[in-house]
Amino acid sequence: MKKLILNIAGLVLLATLFVACEKNEEEPIYDKSQTVSPVLLSPSEGTTMVWTEADSMKSLSFNWSPAIYTLNSGASLEMPEYSLTVSLNGGLNEVISTSDTTATFTVPELNTMFLGWGIQPGTETSVVWTVTANLPEALTTVFSDAVNTKITAFKTDDPPVPSAASLYVPGAYQGWDPANAPQIWDTDDDGIFEGYVYITGDDLNFKFASQPNWDGPNYGTDGTEFGLDTDPGAGNLTVPAAGGYWLVCNTNDLVYSYELQNYGVIGSGILNGDWTEDVDMLPAEGGPYNILEVTIDVSESADGDLRFKYRANDAWDINYGADAGSDVLISGGSDILMPEGPGNYTFKMLWDTPTPRYELIKN
């Protein structure tokens, strides 16, 4: 009997060890000591980049080795999210966030980025590049060694895009795609974001996203009329009807607001030319949804010169003009001259930067 009891006890012990082994196999442990940080391969240390308008057709690629996260079983975790950042003038700026180990930009794209970050055109500036790898499953972030380069940007006819924090406005109207959604901006760093978006279609739902993806934080409804909630399960926001809206998102108080602003162009030589009726503007089919346009014929003006303005909602409460020689729109600004005379024109309002602009094209 004693021998039988011992044999049973031995079987129980073996079973326990077997279960423990199975449990260990099912619950691998991340071995932080085996982590391999990414290495920025291109650009290399000490590279000097001089960009000119003649490089407009050229592109530059940034490459780095993958970060490696290892489990105690020897297996590797996959697909961290990488962030390519550049430090200049005391600030840190994200160039791109991606799951790839390479990123390619045209020279004009990079030039515009750096002008927006305050680099002076024609002046050699020292910048520092870093790649960050983040793996949420492992709850860890690792960094590449810094790579020092020098950059000389070129001056363009277009004003540099002001540097400002932004929120993306993805919604059903554009396929719920944050990376290609219109943006609204916080130009004075007070946590309040504002901008213009034209929301089309029958499904008027949207959200505010802090990144060009759904990694968050994102802002949906808290269940009240204008309240916001950053919970991933928060419901969608909406507007009462399709149209153009000035959107405001207050991330401090977690509230948002909207104001309907459907714009038209009005002026001498447009329609009857008596400044009482405008021609409605819409985004191009398929977007972008923060650029409005219309193409119309402009006739001779009874008073000799051709002038125009943009106004909202068929009224003058909200209207935009511009100073002579500038494409920057000013609320309540001066009439905009049309020095090329009568003809077929495309009028545009561009809300795709923190500073609204206009474009006038004679076809």
Side-chain angles (χ1 to χ4, degrees):
M1 180 63 72
K2 183 176 182 180
K3 184 176 180 180
L4 179 60
I5 292 172
L6 288 174
N7 285 342
I8 292 174
L11 289 172
V12 171
L13 177 60
L14 286 173
T16 302
L17 290 173
F18 179 74
V19 171
C21 289
E22 279 197 325
K23 185 175 182 182
N24 286 338
E25 290 177 359
E26 293 173 357
E27 298 182 5
I29 300 172
Y30 165 58
D31 187 352
K32 190 172 184 179
S33 66
Q34 300 299 312
T35 300
V36 178
S37 298
V39 176
L40 185 57
L41 305 173
S42 175
S44 58
E45 179 73 20
T47 298
T48 297
M49 307 178 195
V50 180
W51 303 328
T52 68
E53 286 188 292
D55 299 325
S56 295
M57 300 302 293
K58 295 181 179 180
S59 60
L60 293 174
S61 293
F62 298 81
N63 303 282
W64 52 91
S65 62
I68 300 175
Y69 300 85
T70 306
L71 302 174
N72 61 349
S73 64
S76 296
L77 297 173
E78 298 180 352
M79 296 297 290
E81 186 75 12
Y82 297 101
S83 176
L84 176 64
T85 59
V86 62
S87 177
L88 73 158
N89 298 332
L92 183 66
N93 306 281
E94 183 177 69
V95 181
I96 192 172
S97 177
T98 177
S99 58
D100 295 328
T101 57
T102 185
T104 301
F105 304 90
T106 65
V107 167
E109 286 175 333
L110 290 170
N111 194 75
T112 299
M113 285 186 202
F114 279 84
L115 291 178
W117 292 330
I119 195 172
Q120 293 301 309
T123 301
E124 187 176 74
T125 303
S126 296
V127 303
V128 181
W129 303 86
T130 308
V131 174
T132 302
N134 178 50
L135 193 69
E137 300 97 306
L139 300 177
T140 187
T141 300
V142 292
F143 306 87
S144 71
D145 289 337
V147 172
N148 296 272
T149 70
K150 293 182 179 179
I151 288 176
T152 302
F154 61 89
K155 184 178 181 180
T156 66
D157 293 333
D158 297 325
V161 178
S163 178
S166 68
L167 292 177
Y168 299 83
V169 191
Y173 70 101
Q174 54 87 234
W176 292 103
D177 181 9
N180 293 301
Q183 293 167 268
I184 60 176
W185 288 271
D186 176 5
T187 57
D188 52 9
D189 199 28
D190 63 355
I192 300 175
F193 297 77
E194 300 182 71
Y196 185 84
V197 177
Y198 199 100
I199 299 176
T200 66
D202 297 325
D203 187 343
L204 305 176
N205 288 304
F206 69 95
K207 280 190 172 183
F208 297 112
S210 62
Q211 301 184 54
N213 50 52
W214 291 108
D215 293 346
N218 306 307
Y219 299 86
T221 180
D222 68 353
T224 64
E225 186 177 9
F226 294 111
L228 295 173
D229 195 329
T230 58
D231 186 284
N236 297 326
L237 308 173
T238 191
V239 289
Y245 288 90
W246 186 258
L247 299 176
V248 180
C249 178
N250 186 328
T251 60
N252 305 309
D253 301 331
L254 289 180
V255 293
Y256 80 104
S257 64
Y258 53 76
E259 180 181 11
L260 182 68
Q261 293 183 9
N262 286 326
Y263 281 93
V265 61
I266 189 170
S268 55
I270 297 174
L271 297 181
N272 57 17
D274 63 2
W275 295 83
T276 62
E277 188 175 0
D278 57 47
V279 181
D280 293 340
M281 305 177 71
L282 294 169
E285 185 176 354
Y289 296 97
N290 48 10
I291 296 178
L292 304 176
E293 62 180 56
V294 67
T295 298
I296 56 173
D297 291 326
V298 175
S299 60
E300 293 280 359
S301 171
D303 56 9
D305 62 352
L306 291 173
R307 299 169 289 114
F308 73 95
K309 295 189 81 172
Y310 301 99
R311 69 175 188 173
N313 307 327
D314 299 318
W316 288 103
D317 296 340
I318 303 172
N319 70 87
Y320 282 87
D323 291 336
S326 172
D327 66 350
V328 175
L329 289 172
I330 301 173
S331 178
S334 302
D335 296 349
I336 304 171
L337 295 176
M338 304 176 64
E340 294 188 56
N344 183 261
Y345 284 86
T346 297
F347 297 82
K348 293 187 177 184
M349 294 185 81
L350 300 96
W351 301 92
D352 56 344
T353 67
T355 302
R357 296 163 291 122
Y358 80 91
E359 189 172 348
L360 178 65
I361 303 168
K362 189 172 186 180
N363 301 309

Coordinates of all heavy atoms in Angstrom, one line a residue, residues 3 13 22 36 76 134 175 184 197 223 241 243 256 292 308 334 337 341 358 360:
K3 N 3.9 1.6 -1.1 CA 4.5 1.8 -2.5 C 3.5 2.4 -3.5 O 3.9 3.2 -4.3 CB 5.0 0.4 -2.9 CG 5.8 0.5 -4.3 CD 6.3 -0.9 -4.6 CE 7.1 -0.8 -6.0 NZ 7.6 -2.1 -6.4
L13 N 3.3 14.6 -9.0 CA 4.4 15.5 -9.2 C 4.8 15.7 -10.6 O 5.0 16.8 -11.1 CB 5.7 15.0 -8.4 CG 6.9 15.9 -8.5 CD1 6.6 17.3 -8.0 CD2 8.1 15.2 -7.7
E22 N 4.1 23.4 -19.5 CA 3.2 23.9 -20.5 C 2.8 25.4 -20.3 O 2.8 26.1 -21.2 CB 1.9 23.1 -20.5 CG 2.0 21.7 -21.2 CD 0.6 21.2 -21.5 OE1 -0.2 21.4 -20.7 OE2 0.5 20.6 -22.6
V36 N 17.6 44.9 -29.2 CA 18.5 45.6 -30.2 C 17.9 46.8 -30.7 O 16.8 46.8 -31.3 CB 18.9 44.6 -31.3 CG1 19.8 45.4 -32.3 CG2 19.6 43.4 -30.8
S76 N 11.3 36.3 -31.6 CA 11.3 37.8 -31.7 C 9.9 38.3 -31.9 O 9.1 37.7 -32.6 CB 12.2 38.2 -32.9 OG 13.5 37.9 -32.7
N134 N 8.9 51.9 -30.8 CA 7.9 51.6 -29.7 C 7.2 50.3 -30.0 O 6.6 50.2 -31.0 CB 7.0 52.8 -29.6 CG 6.0 52.6 -28.5 OD1 6.3 52.2 -27.4 ND2 4.7 52.8 -28.8
G175 N -13.7 58.4 -45.8 CA -13.3 57.1 -45.7 C -12.6 56.7 -44.3 O -11.9 55.7 -44.2
I184 N -7.0 70.6 -38.4 CA -7.3 71.9 -37.7 C -6.1 72.2 -36.8 O -5.4 71.3 -36.4 CB -8.6 71.9 -37.0 CG1 -8.7 70.9 -35.9 CG2 -9.8 71.7 -37.9 CD1 -9.9 70.9 -35.0
V197 N -13.4 72.6 -42.4 CA -13.5 71.3 -43.1 C -14.9 71.3 -43.8 O -15.9 71.7 -43.2 CB -13.5 70.2 -42.0 CG1 -13.7 68.8 -42.7 CG2 -12.1 70.2 -41.3
G223 N -21.4 61.7 -25.0 CA -22.9 61.5 -24.9 C -23.7 62.7 -24.8 O -24.9 62.7 -24.9
A241 N -25.9 68.9 -41.0 CA -26.1 68.8 -42.4 C -24.8 68.9 -43.1 O -23.8 69.4 -42.6 CB -27.1 69.9 -42.9
G243 N -22.0 70.2 -45.5 CA -21.6 71.6 -45.8 C -20.2 71.9 -45.2 O -19.5 71.0 -44.6
Y256 N -16.4 70.7 -28.0 CA -16.1 71.2 -29.4 C -17.3 72.0 -29.8 O -18.4 72.0 -29.2 CB -15.9 70.0 -30.3 CG -17.1 69.3 -30.8 CD1 -17.6 69.4 -32.1 CD2 -17.8 68.4 -29.9 CE1 -18.8 68.8 -32.5 CE2 -19.0 67.7 -30.4 CZ -19.4 67.9 -31.7 OH -20.6 67.3 -32.1
L292 N -11.6 74.8 -51.3 CA -12.9 75.1 -52.0 C -12.5 75.7 -53.4 O -11.5 76.4 -53.5 CB -13.8 76.0 -51.2 CG -14.2 75.6 -49.8 CD1 -15.0 76.7 -49.2 CD2 -14.9 74.3 -49.9
F308 N -12.9 91.1 -56.5 CA -13.7 90.1 -55.9 C -13.4 89.9 -54.4 O -12.4 90.3 -53.9 CB -13.6 88.8 -56.7 CG -12.3 88.0 -56.4 CD1 -12.2 87.0 -55.5 CD2 -11.2 88.3 -57.1 CE1 -11.1 86.3 -55.2 CE2 -10.0 87.6 -56.9 CZ -9.9 86.6 -56.0
S334 N -9.4 93.7 -47.8 CA -9.7 94.5 -49.0 C -10.1 93.6 -50.2 O -9.8 92.4 -50.2 CB -8.5 95.3 -49.4 OG -8.0 96.1 -48.3
L337 N -7.9 92.3 -56.5 CA -7.9 92.7 -57.9 C -7.7 91.6 -58.8 O -7.0 90.6 -58.4 CB -6.9 93.8 -58.1 CG -7.1 95.2 -57.3 CD1 -5.9 96.1 -57.6 CD2 -8.4 95.8 -57.8
G341 N -7.8 90.8 -66.3 CA -9.0 91.1 -67.1 C -10.0 90.0 -67.2 O -9.8 88.9 -66.6
Y358 N -5.6 82.2 -50.8 CA -6.5 82.0 -52.0 C -5.6 81.8 -53.2 O -4.4 82.0 -53.2 CB -7.3 83.3 -52.2 CG -6.6 84.5 -52.8 CD1 -6.6 84.6 -54.2 CD2 -6.0 85.4 -52.1 CE1 -6.0 85.7 -54.8 CE2 -5.3 86.5 -52.7 CZ -5.3 86.6 -54.0 OH -4.7 87.6 -54.6
L360 N -5.9 82.2 -57.6 CA -6.7 82.7 -58.7 C -6.0 82.3 -60.0 O -4.9 82.7 -60.2 CB -6.9 84.2 -58.7 CG -7.6 84.9 -59.8 CD1 -9.1 84.5 -59.8 CD2 -7.5 86.4 -59.7

